[in-house]
C-alpha cells in the first residue's frame, strides 16, 4: 500500500518579502517523514484571497492531505479562514465551541473577548477544531485540509495535536555516508548503485569543509534491511565510515 | 508602471524530506524586494521529471521571472537541466562554451573533466550562461527562467551574477513599529489605518517576549513619504517608538 501524500501551503507576505524566514515547512517536513506521510510539494503564496483559494483547491485535489500555515489571527490581514471557506463553498461563522474556548482563555487572562479576537472563532461549517494549547485560538481541519497558525511555536503545538489523528504509512528511512570527495569523482559509481538498488532513492549533497570538497550520500527507502545492504555497498565503494 | 513579478522553484527531495532546511528562498526573497521585483509565489517540488516540468511551465507563464534552485550538479539525481529543456521543448546538449569553462576549472585543479562532470556542461539550446565564480559549473537563463545551483553559497554567487542583468522596479520599502501589546488589542485600530492608507500594505506579526505578548506592525509600500505618514499615525495610535 502506498503512503499517503501531502502538500504544505505557507500563507504570508512576510515570507515572500524576505522579512521573515519560514520555519514551519522544515519542521513539518521532518514530522511527516517520521510518520510515513510523503510530502510532495510546498507552496508559499501572499495574503491575497484569490491566490490562497487557487492554491488550496489545486493542492487538496492533488494530495491526500494539505497543511496550511499562517493567516488565522485577529487582524485585518488574517484571511485564511475566509479563503478556505470560499475554496470549499461553505459558510464561515463564529462557532459556539470555538467562541467558548476563546472566552475561557481571555477570562483567565482578565482580558476582553473583543470583536477582533472573536474573528478567531470564525470556523467553516463542518470543520473539526485543532487544539492550540499555547494561545487557545484553534486551528481546524475541513475535509483533507488542516489549517494552522503561522507563529512557529503555535504551529508546532497544533501539529502535535493533529498528527496523532492522521493515518500514516511506512516511515521514510535514510542513512548517510559522508565522503571527503567531490560529487564529480563519485557520480558514476553512485549512479550505477542507484540503478542497481532501484527500489531505493539515492541523493548526493556536496559541501565544502575547510576548502576541501566532500559529499553526503543519502540513501532513502522504507525497508531497513535494503538500506543496510545499500549502505554496505556504498561503504565498500567509497571506503569511509557511516555517520 | 507595475513592478515585474517573480516566482521561485526549489527542486529537491532533501528539502521535502526535512533533511535539509532551504536557505535560498529567504535569501532571494530579500534580494528581489531590494531591487523592486515582486516575489508572488514559491514552490518546492521533488526530483521528479514530470513534477519539475509542470511547475516550470505553470510558473514561467504566470510571472515575469522564474528562478530555480537545485539539481544542476554532476550526479544521476541532477535532472533540472533535462526538465527545463523538456518544458521548453528544446534540445539539451554539451555546449562548447560551458565545456571550456569546466575544462579550465578542472585543469587548474589538476582534475579530470570526466563524464559525470561533463553533465554540468549540458545547456539547453539558446540559453545564456550564468557565471559561477565558486565552482565554475554555470547556471543558465532560458527565456524568463533562471536556473541556479542549490548549494547556498553557489546559489548566492549566481544570484549576484544574474540580478544586475535584470530590470527591477521600485523597491518595496517597509517600516516596523514594535508594540508591547497583543494583536487582539490593536487589531481594530490597525484595520482602520489599513483602510485609510489603502495604497500601503499593513502586516501584524505577534511575538512573545519573556511571557509578554507583543506585535510587530509592518507597513510596506513604494513611496517613502507615504510610509512616513503612516508611521507617524501608527506611533500616535500605539504610542511607542519605531525601531
Amino acid at each position: 500500500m502506498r503512503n499517503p501524500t501531502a502538500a504544505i501551503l505557507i500563507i504570508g507576505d512576510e515570507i515572500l518579502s524576505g522579512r521573515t524566514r519560514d520555519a514551519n515547512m522544515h519542521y513539518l517536513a521532518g514530522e511527516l517523514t517520521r510518520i510515513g506521510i510523503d510530502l510532495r510539494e510546498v507552496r508559499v503564496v501572499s495574503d491575497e484571497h484569490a491566490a490562497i483559494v487557487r492554491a488550496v483547491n489545486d493542492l487538496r485535489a492533488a494530495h491526500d492531505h494539505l497543511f496550511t500555515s499562517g493567516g488565522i489571527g485577529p487582524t485585518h490581514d488574517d484571511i485564511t479562514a475566509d479563503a478556505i471557506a470560499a475554496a470549499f463553498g461553505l459558510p464561515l461563522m463564529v462557532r459556539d465551541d470555538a467562541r467558548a474556548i476563546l472566552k475561557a482563555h481571555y477570562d483567565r487572562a482578565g482580558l476582553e473577548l473583543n470583536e477582533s479576537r472573536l474573528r478567531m472563532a470564525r470556523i467553516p461549517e463542518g470543520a473539526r477544531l485543532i487544539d492550540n494549547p499555547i494561545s487557545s485560538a484553534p486551528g481546524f481541519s475541513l475535509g483533507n485540509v488542516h489549517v494552522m497558525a503561522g507563529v512557529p511555536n503555535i504551529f508546532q503545538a497544533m501539529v502535535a495535536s493533529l498528527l496523532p489523528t492522521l493515518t500514516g504509512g511506512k516511515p521514510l528511512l535514510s542513512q548517510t555516508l559522508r565522503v571527503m570527495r567531490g560529487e564529480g569523482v563519485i557520480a558514476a559509481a553512485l549512479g550505477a548503485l542507484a540503478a542497481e538498488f532501484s527500489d531505493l532513492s539515492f541523493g548526493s549533497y556536496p559541501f565544502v569543509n575547510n576548502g576541501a570538497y566532500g559529499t553526503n550520500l543519502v540513501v532513502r527507502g522504507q525497508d531497513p534491511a535494503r538500506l543496510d545492504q545499500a549502505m554496505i555497498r556504498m561503504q565498500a565503494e567509497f571506503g569511509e565510515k557511516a555517520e
Side-chain angles (χ1 to χ4, degrees), chain A:
Chain A
M1 218 183 68
R2 72 168 182 80
N3 278 358
T5 65
I8 298 175
L9 177 63
I10 312 271
I11 297 157
D13 291 345
E14 74 278 18
I15 310 290
L16 293 176
S17 74
R19 178 185 176 275
T20 300
R21 186 176 172 187
D22 168 68
N24 296 339
M25 167 171 93
H26 180 61
Y27 175 78
L28 183 53
E31 292 296 294
L32 293 176
T33 294
R34 202 175 49 72
I35 64 169
I37 293 181
D38 293 349
L39 179 60
R40 293 283 173 83
E41 184 172 356
V42 179
R43 293 193 195 178
V44 186
V45 298
S46 67
D47 299 326
E48 235 181 86
H49 185 80
I52 302 170
V53 171
R54 196 177 331 117
V56 166
N57 280 333
D58 278 8
L59 294 172
R60 74 184 174 104
H63 302 285
D64 294 319
H65 294 284
L66 169 61
F67 302 88
T68 81
S69 157
I72 62 168
T75 57
H76 67 283
D77 57 338
D78 289 305
I79 60 171
T80 298
D82 307 77
I84 301 284
F88 281 83
L90 286 171
L92 179 73
M93 279 173 285
V94 170
R95 227 167 68 176
D96 287 345
D97 52 352
R99 185 213 300 262
I101 291 169
L102 289 171
K103 181 88 170 59
H105 172 78
Y106 289 109
D107 279 354
R108 274 194 304 276
L111 295 169
E112 183 206 355
L113 178 52
N114 62 22
E115 202 181 326
S116 300
R117 289 174 175 139
L118 201 57
R119 275 174 63 83
M120 298 187 286
R122 297 177 315 141
I123 305 286
E125 196 171 279
R128 306 172 300 288
L129 300 185
I130 299 175
D131 188 36
N132 168 3
I134 308 268
S135 56
S136 97
F140 60 85
S141 294
L142 184 61
N144 64 340
V145 181
H146 313 287
V147 177
M148 297 180 282
V151 178
N153 66 331
I154 302 177
F155 180 81
Q156 293 177 20
M158 286 184 174
V159 167
S161 303
L162 174 67
L163 288 195
T165 71
L166 305 181
T167 304
K170 284 191 171 178
L172 184 67
L173 306 173
S174 68
Q175 293 196 38
T176 300
L177 185 72
R178 184 183 163 93
V179 176
M180 282 314 300
R181 277 177 273 177
E183 281 193 296
V185 185
I186 50 87
L190 183 71
L193 270 182
E196 184 186 332
F197 289 82
S198 61
D199 54 325
L200 304 178
S201 134
F202 290 74
S204 136
Y205 307 105
F207 61 85
V208 179
N209 197 351
N210 292 327
Y213 285 94
T215 306
N216 280 313
L217 302 177
V218 178
V219 55
R220 303 185 186 87
Q222 297 181 340
D223 178 349
R226 283 291 283 169
L227 285 188
D228 286 345
Q229 289 168 15
M231 202 63 185
I232 288 167
R233 291 290 304 281
M234 288 212 295
Q235 284 169 336
E237 187 72 54
F238 305 114
E240 302 184 39
K241 291 237 156 51
E243 287 188 304

